[in-house]
Amino acid sequence: SIILGLPHLVGYYPLNFSSKANDYSPSKNPAGIISNAQPALGHYGEVGGSYQFTGARSPPSYIYLNESYYLNRGKLGVFII
């Protein structure tokens, strides 16, 4: 399905414990590296359904995405639900 007004999907990272930081888009980008983020309850209360980030506290938590053909275009829009 196509969502009008949105650009081509270049990466889809569900960010839950079972998918880790793997890309599930047709682009198949390299997996991200999760740093200092912990599995947490998901939207519907499922164990490991999301990640909890510490923010900018020391040490900060983040997901590092390696460069790839699709992720090295100068701009990266992020849509988080």
Side-chain angles (χ1 to χ4, degrees):
S1 67
I2 296 174
I3 300 174
L4 297 177
L6 292 178
H8 173 74
L9 179 69
V10 297
Y12 173 62
Y13 298 86
L15 299 182
N16 59 48
F17 187 71
S18 64
S19 68
K20 309 288 187 230
N22 293 313
D23 179 18
Y24 285 81
S25 76
S27 303
K28 299 296 180 207
N29 295 297
I33 300 168
I34 300 170
S35 181
N36 297 316
Q38 301 300 317
L41 293 178
H43 183 71
Y44 299 106
E46 67 276 13
V47 175
S50 67
Y51 276 98
Q52 180 176 0
F53 292 85
T54 62
R57 289 183 284 167
S58 183
S61 57
Y62 57 90
I63 296 178
Y64 177 80
L65 299 176
N66 288 302
E67 289 185 14
S68 73
Y69 176 79
Y70 293 103
L71 296 178
N72 190 18
R73 297 292 190 180
K75 290 184 180 180
L76 180 63
V78 178
F79 182 71
I80 300 174
I81 297 176

